[in-house]
């Protein structure tokens, strides 16, 4: 039987590269696409030379073409950390809007099913807790995070329009904070920042008083949820994340313990519009996909530490 073919945009990124691994392991032909603005070929170098893997160096904000049949498109191209999208806000808006439009068009032409990587950022600084998919969110469109949050909200809206208007098969995953090997050491997010600082013997930069919360999901769990969602018949948004919630200060203390250093915080101002709390309600993922996370933070952090130990200088 002919192999199913999947296009993964952002294929050289943190999540995209793990998706490439998973789909290859499941017997698909994988086409990874990336413009390498925040992605890194090191994440997929082990895949070059495999007969079922191709890499296309391309910016999906420009017209996208892929020869041959396509069964699935997973749109994971986007800067995703606050320092990245603050540096390149217009590219961030374009990849979520024009990029998504181009890929939806490609999906129509190919008769492919399209899954988009949305985010817990669509909830903004949430007024309800934990966040359920029905919550509309509390986003400041003109704040510093607006370029990312509104690109992702537009992405959901245009994806729903293609579903409703053109009958396109679409899936929407709302991804909560995820961590694991292949996170960029300098991407500015809290886990790479804390781990790199701890391994270098530096103080940990805690923003605000560290009482804001996040809920961290290990990457393998996230990939499993995405895989199940793609193959499900559910077209409305689904939260995928780990509901185990922790304050950023406690998280710093955990990282310090893990790396065997004393917890020494360096308090910095809280960035504008930084959400005060975040935790997914995953009832929908449980009900529709039979999914829940399996890797707890202790185990996930141990696996991630190994990756950082080999790279932090
Ligand atoms: N944060 C921090 N120190 C850092 C980086 C981030 O205290 O060096 C905080 C940040 O203010 C936020 C939380 O950690 O409250 C998570 O930030 P991250 O950038 O990882 O992701 P976000 O969930 O905000 O997109």
């Amino acid at each position: 039987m002919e192999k199913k073919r999947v296009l993964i945009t952002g294929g050289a990124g943190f999540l995209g590269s793990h998706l490439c691994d998973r789909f290859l392991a499941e017997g698909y032909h994988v086409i990874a696409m990336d413009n390498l603005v925040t992605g890194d070929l090191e994440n997929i170098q082990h895949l070059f030379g495999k007969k079922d893997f191709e890499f296309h160096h391309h910016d999906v904000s420009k017209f996208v073409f892929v020869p041959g049949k396509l069964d699935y498109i997973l749109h994971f191209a986007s800067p995703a950390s606050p320092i990245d999208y603050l540096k390149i806000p217009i590219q961030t808006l374009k990849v979520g809007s024009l990029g998504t439009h181009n890929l939806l068009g490609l999906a129509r032409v190919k008769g492919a099913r399209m899954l988009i990587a949305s985010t817990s950022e669509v909830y903004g600084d949430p007024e309800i807790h934990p966040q359920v998919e029905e919550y509309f969110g509390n986003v400041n469109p003109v704040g510093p995070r607006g370029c990312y949050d509104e690109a992702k909200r537009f992405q959901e809206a245009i994806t729903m329009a293609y579903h409703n208007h053109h009958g396109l098969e679409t899936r929407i995953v709302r991804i909560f904070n995820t961590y694991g090997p292949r996170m960029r050491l300098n991407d500015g997010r809290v886990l790479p920042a804390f781990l790199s600082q701890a391994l270098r013997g530096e103080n940990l930069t805690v923003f605000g008083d560290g009482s804001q919360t996040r809920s961290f999901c290990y990457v393998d769990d996230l990939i499993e949820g995405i895989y199940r969602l793609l193959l499900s018949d559910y077209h409305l948004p689904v939260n995928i994340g780990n509901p185990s919630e922790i304050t950023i200060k406690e998280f710093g203390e955990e990282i310090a313990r893990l790396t065997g250093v004393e917890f020494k915080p360096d308090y910095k101002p809280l960035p504008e519009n930084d959400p005060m709390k975040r935790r997914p309600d995953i009832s929908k993922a449980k009900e529709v996909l039979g999914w829940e996370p399996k890797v707890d933070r202790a185990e996930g952090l141990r696996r991630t530490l190994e990756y950082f130990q080999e790279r932090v200088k």
Side-chain angles (χ1 to χ4, degrees), residues 181 195 300-311:
L195 260 185
L301 286 178
R302 266 196 299 280
R303 295 189 203 170
T304 309
L305 175 64
E306 277 173 40
Y307 178 85
F308 277 75
Q309 274 169 332
E310 285 164 16
R311 286 167 180 80

Side-chain angles (χ1 to χ4, degrees), residues 54-71:
E54 311 171 26
F55 176 71
H56 295 213
H57 188 183
H58 184 68
D59 176 353
V60 297
S61 305
K62 315 251 160 64
F63 182 79
V64 183
F65 178 71
V66 174
K69 75 157 189 158
L70 269 186
D71 298 285

Side-chain angles (χ1 to χ4, degrees), residues 80-83 85 119-121 145 148 177 183 187-194 197 204-208 210 212-214 216 248-249 251 266 268-271 274-276 278:
S81 86
I83 62 160
Y85 55 74
T119 166
S120 54
E121 284 282 331
R145 289 175 176 252
Y148 184 68
N177 295 65
M183 281 190 106
D187 89 347
R189 278 188 282 194
V190 68
L191 178 129
F194 282 179
Q197 289 159 351
L204 306 194
T205 50
V206 174
F207 298 166
Q212 70 275 30
T213 69
R214 294 293 186 272
F216 297 96
I248 293 304
K249 181 156 176 272
F251 190 58
D266 219 348
K268 306 264 186 201
L270 189 69
D274 195 293
M276 280 317 292
R278 183 181 289 154

Side-chain angles (χ1 to χ4, degrees), residues 33-306:
M33 188 173 279
D34 207 297
N35 67 354
L36 302 177
V37 167
T38 56
D40 189 337
L41 288 180
E42 195 202 325
N43 292 334
I44 47 170
Q45 68 182 8
H46 58 289
L47 303 179
F48 283 93
K50 286 195 191 289
K51 81 175 184 340
D52 277 313
F53 181 74
E54 311 171 26
F55 176 71
H56 295 213
H57 188 183
H58 184 68
D59 176 353
V60 297
S61 305
K62 315 251 160 64
F63 182 79
V64 183
F65 178 71
V66 174
K69 75 157 189 158
L70 269 186
D71 298 285
Y72 301 112
I73 298 175
L74 287 87
H75 184 22
F76 277 70
S78 178
S81 86
I83 62 160
D84 285 340
Y85 55 74
L86 283 172
K87 254 185 265 164
I88 43 173
I90 296 169
Q91 276 167 284
T92 303
L93 278 154
K94 284 170 75 174
V95 73
S97 55
L98 306 180
T100 304
H101 188 208
N102 288 336
L103 292 162
L104 286 163
L106 182 67
R108 265 192 92 198
V109 168
K110 301 284 189 184
R113 180 180 296 178
M114 167 116 163
L115 180 146
I116 58 158
S118 188
T119 166
S120 54
E121 284 282 331
V122 301
Y123 302 123
D125 190 5
E127 299 136 314
I128 66 145
H129 195 69
Q131 291 77 58
V132 290
E133 286 86 350
E134 290 73 24
Y135 178 49
F136 295 165
N138 176 35
V139 171
N140 177 3
V142 295
R145 289 175 176 252
C147 59
Y148 184 68
D149 301 5
E150 296 296 1
K152 291 291 188 180
R153 289 170 66 96
F154 174 86
Q155 180 180 49
E156 290 197 6
I158 193 170
T159 299
M160 285 306 293
Y162 267 72
H163 174 81
N164 292 327
H165 190 70
H166 289 309
L168 192 73
E169 285 253 33
T170 54
R171 305 286 180 267
I172 300 176
V173 57
R174 290 191 181 145
I175 299 169
F176 284 64
N177 295 65
T178 301
Y179 69 97
R182 302 189 194 152
M183 281 190 106
R184 233 175 57 231
L185 270 57
N186 63 348
D187 89 347
R189 278 188 282 194
V190 68
L191 178 129
F194 282 179
L195 260 185
S196 303
Q197 289 159 351
L199 291 171
R200 292 195 191 105
E202 297 165 5
N203 292 355
L204 306 194
T205 50
V206 174
F207 298 166
D209 63 3
S211 65
Q212 70 275 30
T213 69
R214 294 293 186 272
S215 307
F216 297 96
C217 183
Y218 187 66
V219 62
D220 289 1
D221 282 333
L222 178 87
I223 298 298
E224 177 65 27
I226 291 168
Y227 189 74
R228 289 189 191 197
L229 177 62
L230 178 73
L231 301 184
S232 78
D233 56 9
Y234 192 76
H235 73 279
L236 292 171
V238 178
N239 291 337
I240 300 284
N242 189 321
S244 167
E245 185 181 5
I246 185 171
T247 70
I248 293 304
K249 181 156 176 272
E250 285 164 345
F251 190 58
E253 288 164 355
E254 269 190 17
I255 300 268
R257 263 198 307 281
L258 177 78
T259 51
V261 301
E262 194 190 332
F263 174 63
K264 284 197 240 126
D266 219 348
Y267 289 102
K268 306 264 186 201
L270 189 69
E272 197 184 336
N273 297 153
D274 195 293
M276 280 317 292
K277 49 189 181 307
R278 183 181 289 154
R279 171 154 60 103
D281 181 315
I282 58 165
S283 315
K284 195 145 285 163
K286 280 187 183 157
E287 178 196 319
V288 178
L289 311 175
W291 176 89
E292 61 183 330
K294 297 267 183 288
V295 182
D296 66 13
R297 221 170 32 246
E299 174 58 22
L301 286 178
R302 266 196 299 280
R303 295 189 203 170
T304 309
L305 175 64
E306 277 173 40

